[in-house]
Amino acid sequence: MTPYSKDFPVSWEELHRNTRALAWRLLEQGPWKGIIAITRGGLVPAAILCREMDIRLIDTICVVSYESGNGDATANVQGDLRILKGVEGDGEGFILIDDLVDTGKTAKAIRALLPKAHFATIYAKPAGKPLVDTFITEVSQDTWIRFPWDMEYTFSTPLADRQKS
């Protein structure tokens, strides 16, 4: 059983627009030494931020926190957090970027490793929101965000036909 009852698909254009909005906010708070992307969700936002903010120094902190479930993305559940690759230092002067903060489990662990980093996300859910310094859009806790890299274009049954079933 999944804890998600709502579906929030995000297009490439929307993600780019929201990440640029995040860049505007972060530029006002700089200067920055660089960006640390939380893999894998923070990689695309990190690339956009680097371009928009003219930042050349980028690193990654590589974590695994979700276990896949039966090929259905919404069946993914948070398991034990594993750090596959860390970074040097305490994060001072760096932006720590991820696509979203959900329960806050990953955010808490990474905050402990990089307490002086400025934690930014595109999307924030209520349980994780207090752990983030800057975000753009809040969504409800019961919403599954479908990022463009997780989707493919397929035929969609018209709504009227769905009601006939």
Side-chain angles (χ1 to χ4, degrees), residues 6-26:
K6 297 178 185 120
D7 200 43
F8 187 79
V10 175
S11 70
W12 283 110
E13 292 81 7
E14 183 179 7
L15 180 79
H16 191 257
R17 184 174 42 253
N18 286 334
T19 307
R20 287 188 77 203
L22 182 62
W24 289 329
R25 290 186 186 171
L26 293 170

Side-chain angles (χ1 to χ4, degrees), residues 1-55:
M1 183 70 182
T2 175
Y4 306 104
S5 61
K6 297 178 185 120
D7 200 43
F8 187 79
V10 175
S11 70
W12 283 110
E13 292 81 7
E14 183 179 7
L15 180 79
H16 191 257
R17 184 174 42 253
N18 286 334
T19 307
R20 287 188 77 203
L22 182 62
W24 289 329
R25 290 186 186 171
L26 293 170
L27 277 169
E28 295 171 353
Q29 300 174 49
W32 302 102
K33 293 178 184 175
I35 292 177
I36 301 168
I38 300 172
T39 66
R40 292 179 308 211
L43 290 171
V44 172
I48 297 167
L49 289 179
C50 283
R51 180 195 183 273
E52 297 299 334
M53 300 175 70
D54 194 27
I55 292 175

Side-chain angles (χ1 to χ4, degrees), residues 106-119:
T106 301
K108 282 179 193 170
I110 293 177
R111 272 259 192 232
L113 296 172
L114 300 166
K116 293 187 178 178
H118 184 95
F119 196 1

Side-chain angles (χ1 to χ4, degrees), residues 83-151:
I83 306 272
L84 304 175
K85 177 200 161 290
V87 295
E88 297 283 326
D90 59 9
E92 185 171 6
F94 282 83
I95 298 167
L96 181 62
I97 182 72
D98 206 353
D99 52 0
L100 81 141
V101 61
D102 192 332
T103 63
K105 181 179 177 181
T106 301
K108 282 179 193 170
I110 293 177
R111 272 259 192 232
L113 296 172
L114 300 166
K116 293 187 178 178
H118 184 95
F119 196 1
T121 63
I122 311 303
Y123 302 97
K125 294 185 180 182
K129 188 172 82 168
L131 296 161
V132 178
D133 298 309
T134 306
F135 69 93
I136 296 300
T137 303
E138 183 173 353
V139 297
S140 62
Q141 200 67 43
D142 61 346
T143 298
W144 182 260
I145 301 172
R146 294 189 185 272
F147 288 100
W149 51 81
D150 290 329
M151 297 186 291

Side-chain angles (χ1 to χ4, degrees), residues 155-162 165:
F155 175 76
S156 177
T157 304
L159 294 175
D161 291 345
R162 293 179 196 177
S165 303

